[in-house]
Amino acid sequence: MSEDKTILLVDGNALIHRAFHAYPALTHAGKPINCVYGFARMLIRGLDQIKPHYAVVAFDLDKKTFRHAAFADYKAQRVAAPQSLYDQIPSVHALVKAFGFPAVGVEGYEADDVIATLTRQARAQKLNVAIMTGDKDTFQLVSARVSVFAPASRAQRGLQKITPVEVFKRLGVEPAQVAALKALAGDPSDNIPGVPGIGAKTAVSLLKKFASLEELLA
């Protein structure tokens, strides 16, 4: 394999939720399909823009992961999605199968964990990696050969390409520092508290002075 080939890694669950909320209620034969329709549109848009040589879709298998074992309140603030979203997930899986793409999930891990592992494996094979997701946690994977493609709003066309420069513009830190930023400032979207008294601005200033948590603690 060579650096001129690209693998597309799709965060299936992130796209499912985005599609459900981005597209109005649609039905076919009395069943909701807005999630399936939106997922298909975003996937086709990604294929058209990225033109990958390979593609894999990662899915969550269960709500409980190793993070829940480490921190009982992980994502505890999140409200369950409407049942009509969950009812469409089997159809999304069937859609992915119809595209001919492998669907991958690992018990006890989230889709973005699977994507992180596949990213490392792909880079070992000298493949370029395009990650299609709206999850900012994946920004820590971004490098010269790894980009995140975030679905834009319905009014915008195409996907927003996130490069190392774009990560710094958005967060104020390098991709390799994203995990440290979240450890210091916390992450409300996942109910992660962070260090008391340290917000995003303070965390960024600390990481400008100390490149890592290890240096900061020392």
Side-chain angles (χ1 to χ4, degrees):
M1 296 183 182
S2 62
E3 297 281 14
D4 63 345
K5 290 191 174 181
T6 299
I7 184 169
L8 172 62
L9 304 178
V10 179
D11 186 338
N13 285 77
L15 261 63
I16 284 173
H17 283 269
R18 190 173 187 89
F20 182 81
H21 295 290
Y23 289 86
L26 298 171
T27 60
H28 176 70
K31 296 182 179 180
I33 61 165
N34 63 313
C35 186
V36 183
Y37 174 75
F39 189 100
R41 286 200 57 157
M42 287 189 286
L43 185 57
I44 291 170
R45 183 181 300 168
L47 294 172
D48 286 343
Q49 182 171 334
I50 300 165
K51 295 180 172 55
H53 299 82
Y54 315 98
V56 177
V57 182
F59 288 105
D60 296 342
L61 292 185
D62 191 89
K63 290 184 180 179
K64 298 297 181 181
T65 69
F66 70 95
R67 292 181 181 84
H68 292 91
F71 180 50
D73 289 332
Y74 177 63
K75 293 185 177 180
Q77 88 291 4
R78 293 196 179 183
V79 178
Q83 186 59 41
S84 58
L85 181 150
Y86 297 108
D87 290 344
Q88 295 180 66
I89 291 178
S91 295
V92 173
H93 282 257
L95 174 72
V96 171
K97 184 178 180 180
F99 270 91
F101 301 150
V104 182
V106 179
E107 192 72 34
Y109 293 88
E110 296 180 358
D112 51 2
D113 297 318
V114 175
I115 286 173
T117 299
L118 291 174
T119 296
R120 177 173 291 185
Q121 293 174 345
R123 288 303 303 138
Q125 295 295 320
K126 299 189 181 302
L127 289 169
N128 294 316
V129 180
I131 301 170
M132 190 173 172
T133 181
D135 190 341
K136 293 180 181 179
D137 288 349
T138 56
F139 285 8
Q140 62 192 290
L141 303 174
V142 173
S143 68
R145 296 286 184 176
V146 179
S147 300
V148 169
F149 288 81
S153 66
R154 289 182 61 199
Q156 296 173 303
R157 297 190 63 83
L159 305 170
Q160 297 175 313
K161 184 178 181 179
I162 309 299
T163 63
V165 172
E166 186 64 22
V167 171
F168 190 83
K169 284 182 180 179
R170 291 188 179 207
L171 302 181
V173 298
E174 303 294 338
Q177 297 176 303
V178 171
L181 175 65
K182 288 179 177 287
L184 290 170
D187 186 350
S189 67
D190 287 336
N191 202 40
I192 296 173
V195 178
I198 295 183
K201 289 184 178 180
T202 301
V204 167
S205 65
L206 288 171
L207 292 172
K208 285 181 178 178
K209 186 175 181 181
F210 304 97
S212 66
L213 288 179
E214 289 75 16
E215 287 186 28
L216 173 59
L217 291 172

